[in-house]
Every structure is written in C-alpha cells, then in structure tokens.
Amino acid sequence: MMKYADEEPTEDYLFKIVLIGDSAVGKSNLLARYARNEFYPNSKSTIGVEFQTQTMEIDGKEIKAQIWDTAGQERFRAVTSAYYRGAVGALVVYDISRRQTFENITRWLDELHAYSDMSVVTVLVGNKADLKDAREVSTEEGTALAEAQNLCFVETSALDSTNVQLAFQTLVKEIYNVLSRKVFFYQEQRPDGKLSNGKTVILQEKDVDSAGAPTRKY
Amino acid sequence: MRGATTQDDIDMKQIGGDFEPGPVPPYKPVDRYGFVKSDQVNPTVEVSTKFKPSNEQEREQRRVRKWRKMIGVGGTDWKRYVRRKPNVVKRRIRKGIPDCLRGLVWQLISGSRDLLLMHQGVYEQLVLYETSASELDIIRDISRTFPSHVFFQQRHGPGQRSLYNVLKAYSVYDREVGYVQGMGFLAGLLLLYMSEEDAFWLMVALLKGAVNAPMEGLYLVGLPLVQQYLSQFERLVKEQLPRLGAHFDQEMINPSMYASQWFITVFSYSFPFPLALRIWDVFLHEGVKVVFKVGLALLKYCQDDLVKLPFEKLVHALRNFPDDALNPDVLLPLAYSIK
C-alpha cells in the first residue's frame, strides 16, 4: 500500500461500515445524501452491493469511512452477508412509516452478529422521518429498542436531510472512541506500555504500530 | 413474514391508496429509445443515432430487408433459415438485430414464441386469478425500475401496470423463484419490445432454459448461479488477464463488488441502453457465455488504467467505465474475440 503514498494523502484511520435493513427503507438515499448531498425519489433498487468512501476529521485525525450499501431483499443476503466481515460499524435502517421494517430489525442484528467477526458499533436509524402523517413506529419505540440492544439511535430523513450527517458522524465517532479505548487497554496490558508490531486491534487491513498509529497493510 | 393484513394497509397507503393512473409526466426530451435525456448523455451515441449520414441509413435499410427475408412474414421462415444457415444467422445477430424487428426476433431465438403457442390462456389465468406472496415487494420496486424511461414514469400508467403484471405472473408461475430484485430490469427491457404476454413467456424461456442454460439459479434461494458465475469469472480474469488478476488480488477486489448485476440483470441495470440491447441480441441466441465475454472485454479494454488504481478508485472505475469502452462497435468485437 505504501507505494500509493505519493499519489494521495493517506488517512490515519480506515473504517469499514455496512448499511443494512429491509428493501426500500432508503439506505442508498441516506448514503447519497451523506456522501454527495443528493436524493433520488425513484432511485433504482440496489442489486448486490454499492460502495462509497467519505472522509472526516476527529481529534485532528483524518478518518476515512468505507461504506458498503447492500441490497435489502432477503434473497440477496447470500451475497451481501460476505460484506459484514471486517466491518467495524453498521447503520441498521428501518422506515418509520412501515412497521414491518422495524420488526425485522432484530433479524438484521442477528444476521450482523452471525457474519461479522467482531463487535460492530451499530446505529439504529429510523428513516423517512418526514413522512409524519404515515408514521407507524414512534420515536419512543425506536429509543426503547436501541436501549434494549445497546445501540445508538437516530431518526433521519434522507429527503430533507434531517440528521443524516449526524447518523454517520455518530457512528464514526463511536467507532473512534471504542478504538481509542481498546488501544489504551492494550497499552495497559503490556508491561513495556507498547503494542507489539502487527497486533490488529479493531481495524481490518490496518495494523497498529508501537506508537498506536495505524499503518495500512494490504 | 410479509403479506399480513396490516402490511397490506400500510402499502396501499404508501402507494397512494388507489390504482388510478397518476398524472402524465410533463414532456421531456427523450432519446431514440425513450429514455429521458440527462445532461451527461453519451455524446457518441447521440451523434450516431440522431445525425446518421444517408449512406448509413441506406445500409440500415438494406439490413432490415435482408432480415425480413430471413425471418419471413411473422417469423414463418425463421426455423428453416436457421437450420440451413446457422452461421449466417449467428453472424447477423452479432452485428445487431434491426431495432424495428428486435421484439419479434427475440421471441423467435429464445423459443418463447413456441412456449406461448403451447400454453395459450395461461398468462391471463396467472394475472387475473392468482395471488402472489410477492405482490407488495413487486409494487415497491415498480417505480424503481428504469425510472428514467418515459414508458415506466407514469404512476400506475400502462408501463408500470404491465411491469407489475409480468412480474406477478412469473412469481406465481414459479413460486420457488417468486420475485427477486433485478428481475424487473429483465421484464422492463422486454416490455419495451413486446406485449406483456410475450414478455412473460420470454422470461419463462430464459429462466427455465428453453434454448440455452436455465437462468433461474440466479434468483433461487442462496443465488447459487450468481455465486458460481462470479467464481468462474474470477478464475477467467486470472487466466486471461493475469496482470489485472494479480492486481485485483493485491487490492482485494473480487467480482461480487462489481459484476453481480452484470449477471443478475444481463447488463440491463446500469449500462447504456444501446449496448445492453446489442448484448441481449447475442445473449438470447448464444446464452450466458456472452456475459462473461463482455465482462472480460471491458476489463481488457481498460486494463492499462485499472492496474494503476488503488482499491477505492478501482471499485469506482469498475462501476463507471469510460464512454469509449461502452461503445458497442468497439466492445463487442473485442468480446467475440475472447475464447
């Protein structure tokens, strides 16, 4: 990976994130709004997976989020579940105007835990908050589920942009916090206060060197 | 899981509560295939279709006459011609079926016309009297299928209705397959060239394998054929384009990141329509091999650029090929040359 160092500034951290949830809850539009500030009222249904990256800064560190947007129809889990592996974060999305998509959330969480190989920081997202007259899932119900499952929770509208940035930023910040804690934990564990070379903490495709700063390893 | 009565209520509300056609969308300029023109319309395609020089027009007309002779009135001479001169047929199809005859020829080469004649009345039965567990899933996707084509833009208009009918009929006809996202693009493409009933039987011919290998494994639980094709494609990239194959390995790129939709929708999901049509001409006659060949040809054509790109740019490039690579007259000869 180092050979590309001249071409583009390399970020400090690289987080792999997945967007999951039932078909037509608005996953692709959440990502379009977040990454490009766009919204398509009739966007094509996602077949397989789509991919976007977005960078942000936390504590003066540049963080790149690699976001995988997946097809929502159950049949596609045969190909999409492979993308859960190595993910450090997930946005699990339902549509506040369709109760069924909320009821399926626990199945999505089970799926995520079954296929991902570490604890994934998860934000529960109730999308289409602009559809006030059609609401079928109250904010309280979303909050209660998030508390029960120990998740962050936010209601969004990809249509009018409400909380879309917040949803992604919350996720990335939370991943960053968890990571910092883990690095600290590892440092506590070792008598010399250093991390051994090549010790993967939480990031896939990246190692943490003795200074605690990750370097890319492909 | 789906189909409970509450769910019905939800969706009726969501789609407007009635099935009266919505307002006709305001007039927008469309290309020769009926897609609303966007700002970044591929300029080479525009030039070649809109301002055709007269000698090219004459050539096109000669081609149509040849084709008419070959198929006979309503396709009566077709089978005899194919038996006598299979190589002529193959060569002419590879050059592209004239657009005005496409619908008819597709039905002849796919074997769907025979299926229709053998099963008269079946389609009507499926549409009118049967119910499908997938109805709500289909409805939810109708406006998300070829959203930029005039035929499918009007809410509950003729295009959306026939798309719904074909997909619902298929989900009843084969309940094991049911409805899977991606099938809508197949049905939508066909409906631009033939009636609902004809499109339905062509779907049956494709998925059940009337002439070529059955496609239904692309849509069955577990998507077994998608998995198989993707791993075959990965092996072919390594064999035929070793430099690129090694680069993909290094960057941890695998075909599920870019090629699932190539197979699931036979290039109809996101490729320029004129190219998709030319691929479909050959696909219906020769089968899935052409999907592999076109995929490999795309990678081969762009190989020198692709081997320089790191992971993220690579994923992007594999979903956004340059216009010259997507020109059917450049890409297809390259695809045919791949063995």
Side-chain angles (χ1 to χ4, degrees):
Chain A
M1 201 58 216
M2 298 313 280
K3 65 180 172 168
Y4 302 115
D6 299 338
E7 289 169 28
E8 50 187 292
T10 41
E11 62 286 348
D12 298 314
Y13 293 91
L14 179 67
F15 293 165
K16 178 176 165 184
I17 290 166
V18 289
L19 256 169
I20 58 178
D22 278 8
S23 179
V25 296
K27 298 180 290 299
S28 301
N29 266 322
L30 279 170
L31 184 54
R33 178 64 79 193
Y34 173 59
R36 308 187 297 276
N37 198 21
E38 288 170 357
F39 180 85
Y40 307 96
N42 288 319
S43 65
K44 290 185 208 169
S45 36
T46 305
I47 309 286
V49 292
E50 298 283 343
F51 172 80
Q52 283 275 332
T53 52
Q54 193 74 357
T55 47
M56 59 184 285
E57 221 185 84
I58 297 177
D59 288 350
K61 299 264 192 325
E62 188 172 73
I63 296 177
K64 183 181 272 183
Q66 234 180 41
I67 307 162
W68 294 91
D69 175 23
T70 62
Q73 201 185 6
E74 182 156 1
R75 200 83 49 106
F76 280 96
R77 291 190 206 173
V79 288
T80 54
S81 57
Y83 289 82
Y84 301 174
R85 175 156 305 158
V88 294
L91 290 173
V92 187
V93 187
Y94 66 93
D95 171 354
I96 63 127
S97 73
R98 264 162 63 209
R99 172 158 288 278
Q100 189 65 55
T101 66
F102 179 70
E103 280 164 11
N104 287 342
I105 286 290
T106 46
R107 283 173 57 202
W108 283 107
L109 293 173
D110 291 345
E111 194 88 5
L112 185 63
H113 297 137
Y115 287 96
S116 63
D117 44 15
M118 54 193 84
S119 62
V120 181
V121 178
T122 305
V123 174
L124 178 67
V125 178
N127 191 35
K128 308 198 186 179
D130 53 280
L131 293 177
K132 292 186 184 71
D133 299 336
R135 182 186 278 275
E136 291 190 348
V137 182
S138 70
T139 309
E140 291 71 30
E141 285 172 286
T143 312
L145 178 64
E147 272 170 15
Q149 301 274 352
N150 201 17
L151 316 169
C152 307
F153 173 63
V154 62
E155 285 192 348
T156 58
S157 165
L159 176 84
D160 66 21
S161 303
T162 306
N163 288 345
V164 176
Q165 294 290 329
L166 180 71
F168 283 91
Q169 279 165 10
T170 303
L171 178 61
V172 170
K173 271 183 200 150
E174 190 57 29
I175 298 169
Y176 180 80
N177 290 341
V178 170
L179 174 71
S180 311
R181 277 202 298 275
K182 287 212 176 177
V183 171
F184 182 70
F185 177 75
Y186 271 101
Q187 283 169 339
E188 293 276 287
Q189 295 293 300
R190 284 182 56 99
D192 57 358
K194 283 182 179 176
L195 287 169
S196 59
N197 248 343
K199 183 87 184 168
T200 304
V201 177
I202 187 168
L203 299 171
Q204 225 207 6
E205 299 161 12
K206 280 199 155 188
D207 289 347
V208 177
D209 67 19
S210 54
T215 50
R216 303 189 69 160
K217 185 198 75 175
Y218 270 95
Chain B
M1 192 96 221
R2 296 238 163 84
T5 46
T6 50
Q7 182 72 8
D8 272 37
D9 299 342
I10 296 162
D11 282 273
M12 289 306 147
K13 204 161 59 194
Q14 279 237 315
I15 59 174
D18 63 78
F19 288 90
E20 286 307 301
V24 177
Y27 173 78
K28 292 175 213 145
V30 295
D31 69 13
R32 90 179 260 205
Y33 300 102
F35 285 90
V36 174
K37 283 183 185 174
S38 62
D39 297 335
Q40 63 282 59
V41 163
N42 179 342
T44 55
V45 173
E46 276 309 283
V47 171
S48 67
T49 55
K50 207 169 174 185
F51 309 106
K52 245 179 205 159
S54 61
N55 59 346
E56 206 172 303
Q57 265 175 17
E58 273 167 34
R59 207 167 58 210
E60 174 98 27
Q61 278 166 12
R62 264 204 314 277
R63 219 158 57 86
V64 172
R65 278 200 298 275
K66 268 201 267 184
W67 268 91
R68 283 196 196 284
K69 229 176 104 188
M70 188 161 72
I71 58 184
V73 179
T76 45
D77 296 340
W78 174 256
K79 283 186 179 168
R80 201 150 35 101
Y81 200 98
V82 175
R83 260 198 310 277
R84 269 179 35 236
K85 296 182 175 172
N87 290 327
V88 174
V89 172
K90 184 174 170 180
R91 198 175 64 232
R92 286 192 183 158
I93 289 174
R94 283 182 165 204
K95 284 183 187 166
I97 300 167
D99 206 51
C100 59
L101 298 173
R102 212 163 230 142
L104 173 60
V105 175
W106 280 3
Q107 293 174 58
L108 295 172
I109 57 182
S110 65
S112 74
R113 180 51 67 88
D114 296 333
L115 286 175
L116 167 70
L117 295 174
M118 279 186 288
H119 300 95
Q120 303 220 26
V122 171
Y123 178 73
E124 196 186 342
Q125 172 78 26
L126 294 172
V127 171
L128 293 180
Y129 302 109
E130 303 280 349
T131 53
S132 160
S134 311
E135 282 169 22
L136 296 171
D137 287 344
I138 297 171
I139 288 171
R140 209 168 284 130
D141 281 342
I142 287 298
S143 63
R144 309 205 289 158
T145 309
F146 292 122
S148 64
H149 195 285
V150 277
F151 186 54
F152 298 114
Q153 280 192 334
Q154 188 189 4
R155 211 159 129 100
H156 312 314
Q160 292 199 359
R161 277 167 188 260
S162 44
L163 188 55
Y164 172 77
N165 286 343
V166 171
L167 292 171
K168 188 205 111 176
Y170 196 87
S171 71
V172 175
Y173 177 82
D174 184 346
R175 291 188 191 266
E176 212 184 331
V177 166
Y179 165 71
V180 182
Q181 290 180 327
M183 291 167 69
F185 289 87
L186 265 60
L189 181 82
L190 297 173
L191 283 168
L192 297 175
Y193 285 89
M194 59 194 75
S195 74
E196 264 180 56
E197 189 174 18
D198 293 335
F200 169 77
W201 287 107
L202 213 155
M203 297 267 295
V204 174
L206 285 175
L207 271 74
K208 295 296 176 188
V211 174
N212 293 303
M215 280 173 81
E216 60 185 352
L218 290 171
Y219 311 105
L220 286 168
V221 172
L223 313 182
L225 206 52
V226 179
Q227 316 257 28
Q228 183 193 319
Y229 286 164
L230 290 177
S231 72
Q232 285 172 334
F233 189 76
E234 187 166 31
R235 213 171 49 237
L236 284 166
V237 172
K238 286 185 179 138
E239 273 170 32
Q240 310 238 351
L241 307 165
R243 200 157 51 101
L244 188 61
H247 183 62
F248 280 174
D249 271 355
Q250 194 193 346
E251 294 296 319
M252 296 197 281
I253 293 276
N254 73 66
S256 79
M257 295 171 183
Y258 59 93
S260 310
Q261 33 169 280
W262 295 358
F263 290 106
I264 292 171
T265 69
V266 195
F267 288 107
S268 61
Y269 179 76
S270 59
F271 279 73
F273 202 64
L275 174 61
L277 291 172
R278 291 283 303 276
I279 296 171
W280 271 73
D281 291 346
V282 184
F283 167 70
L284 292 173
H285 189 232
E286 300 180 30
V288 72
K289 260 187 305 185
V290 74
V291 180
F292 284 91
K293 288 180 181 185
V294 169
L296 287 167
L298 270 169
L299 298 184
K300 190 175 183 178
Y301 186 87
C302 303
Q303 175 165 230
D304 292 341
D305 297 322
L306 294 175
V307 291
K308 291 180 201 140
L309 300 176
F311 180 80
E312 278 145 28
K313 289 184 175 167
L314 201 45
V315 178
H316 181 79
L318 289 166
R319 290 169 170 282
N320 299 278
F321 289 97
D323 287 347
D324 52 330
L326 298 172
N327 178 347
D329 295 320
V330 172
L331 185 64
L332 292 178
L334 186 61
Y336 303 147
S337 74
I338 290 171
K339 293 295 161 219

